[in-house]
Amino acid sequence: MGSSKHTKNMKRMNGWVLATALLLSGLTTLTSCNEEDNAIVTPVHDDAVYISCVKPDYLKAGDKVALISPSYFTSMENVEKTADVLRGWGLEPVVGPNVGKVVDGRYAGTVAERVSDIRWALSDPSVKAIVCNRGGYGSIQLIDQLTLDELKASPKWIVGFSDISTLHGMWSRAGVMSMHATMSSFLASGGTDATSTLMRDLLMGQVPRYELPAHKANIEGKASGVLVGGNLCTFVPNIGSQADATKGQDLILFVEEVEESMHNIDRQMRILQMNGVLDRCRGIILGEFTDCGTEFTYESIEAMLHDLLAEYQIPVLCGFPGGHGDVNLPLVMGAPVTIDVRNDGATLTFNIDGTQKDVRTADVTATPTPAAARMMKAGKRETAW
């Protein structure tokens, strides 16, 4: 009995000693923080990954380009017109075996059929790039059906935006660059506008160096990192999946949206914040926020996000003409990039090989031809479904 009582007393004493040590340790840490309250501490996230992507080969005349529909369907008329545009560029279009199918009124085939067309394009060595016909919804259904190894084994450009942001995330996680750019729903209007021709030029090795005018919501600074992101409400739900490129470190995050409320845009950005994504960003690029809400008194979406992002003390480049607006300039996702935001404007540079080409975005943001404008407005509503 005495021995048992002695053991209990020793346990109590050890517990008091441990608690006291932890308390003193905490006080020491607090004192240390108070002494360095001006220091900027970068949080460490153990689950972060390192993204390093290879660049697929640029295209040359005669190369095959696959046209597929990973999400919603688009009309075969659009697909055929896009094929004509690609032929006019000296390329050879090939249409996915399941393109043209419609399931449940919107999907471009079953999940299995849409995955099958991606694998078909990847497995054919004569196909050098993949252009998506349309966004909409559905690419999230494909995440667990594909493996990163099969994407890495056959590095090819995949081109698209909106719902295709999920596939950009998968390509980046697989270590392959991709292209956030226009799709058949716009290319079908002729392919002669800047949105289309800059995509064509980039596919063939002319790399744009974008020069942007000043924007009142910009946050000045210079930063380099890996470009990830896309359509906000598409890539945020992918957090934690193998399509989550925001798990990367040293990110330059690109964000655009269409027909979303201010409060939902704020909600999605807060989800990124709570998951440590904004801590891992070295810079932010805000693209188009087309037909988005005005329910708060902020002057703009950019002004609202400025308040959230200012605390991170990283450069924020606003007004990049990419997304669901009338002009959708191409971006290389997964590429190392540098943004330089100054009081007189900003630049976005892709640090990849190719022929560098200066592009003043102010010179290419004019309304496209009437036919192209009508096509984009129709496509804008399609991809927002």
Side-chain angles (χ1 to χ4, degrees), residues 126-380:
S126 68
V127 171
K128 303 303 181 183
I130 304 167
V131 173
C132 298
N133 291 319
R134 182 179 167 189
Y137 174 75
S139 62
I140 195 171
Q141 301 167 339
L142 315 183
I143 291 176
D144 292 335
Q145 307 299 313
L146 295 162
T147 69
L148 299 185
D149 286 342
E150 60 187 310
L151 305 184
K152 186 175 183 178
S154 184
K156 300 179 182 183
W157 295 109
I158 188 164
V159 183
F161 72 108
S162 194
D163 192 60
I164 308 305
S165 298
T166 291
L167 299 182
H168 290 311
M170 289 195 71
W171 255 246
S172 294
R173 287 295 301 275
V176 182
M177 296 181 199
S178 59
M179 197 174 298
H180 184 282
T182 196
M183 300 180 286
S184 292
S185 54
F186 186 86
L187 290 170
S189 65
T192 59
D193 56 281
T195 291
S196 303
T197 57
L198 284 171
M199 182 194 97
R200 174 202 64 196
D201 294 347
L202 180 52
L203 280 170
M204 295 183 176
Q206 292 189 44
V207 181
R209 177 184 175 274
Y210 292 118
E211 300 177 3
L212 295 97
H215 193 289
K216 64 170 63 177
N218 277 352
I219 298 177
E220 294 179 28
K222 185 175 182 179
S224 296
V226 178
L227 184 62
V228 302
N231 181 256
L232 183 65
C233 290
T234 296
F235 73 78
V236 171
N238 298 334
I239 286 177
S241 75
Q242 66 173 350
D244 181 13
T246 68
K247 286 189 71 171
Q249 303 180 70
D250 300 329
L251 303 176
I252 302 294
L253 182 67
F254 170 67
V255 174
E256 63 87 21
E257 252 313 332
V258 59
E259 296 179 358
E260 283 293 342
S261 64
M262 277 187 162
H263 71 261
N264 198 37
I265 291 171
D266 181 79
R267 175 189 290 120
Q268 303 303 317
M269 293 297 290
R270 301 284 174 175
I271 291 172
L272 294 177
Q273 181 182 50
M274 289 184 286
N275 280 275
V277 175
L278 300 184
D279 292 324
R280 296 194 290 272
C281 289
R282 296 292 170 262
I284 307 280
I285 300 172
L286 299 182
E288 299 286 339
F289 293 93
T290 308
D291 296 339
C292 287
T294 57
E295 70 266 34
F296 299 129
T297 56
Y298 293 104
E299 182 179 351
S300 63
I301 302 292
E302 292 87 350
M304 177 180 74
L305 296 182
H306 181 281
D307 288 352
L308 171 65
L309 298 174
E311 66 183 85
Y312 290 91
Q313 301 180 40
I314 57 176
V316 177
L317 189 164
C318 298
F320 182 83
H324 290 75
D326 289 336
V327 176
N328 182 18
L329 301 186
L331 296 166
V332 184
M333 310 307 289
V337 301
T338 299
I339 60 172
D340 185 7
V341 186
R342 310 171 307 276
N343 64 1
D344 64 342
T347 56
L348 167 59
T349 305
F350 298 94
N351 302 316
I352 58 177
D353 68 340
T355 304
Q356 293 289 321
K357 172 183 179 180
D358 288 341
V359 176
R360 287 171 46 88
T361 63
D363 295 340
V364 294
T365 54
T367 303
T369 64
R374 287 194 300 272
M375 187 68 69
M376 175 55 87
K377 288 190 180 298
K380 191 167 61 180

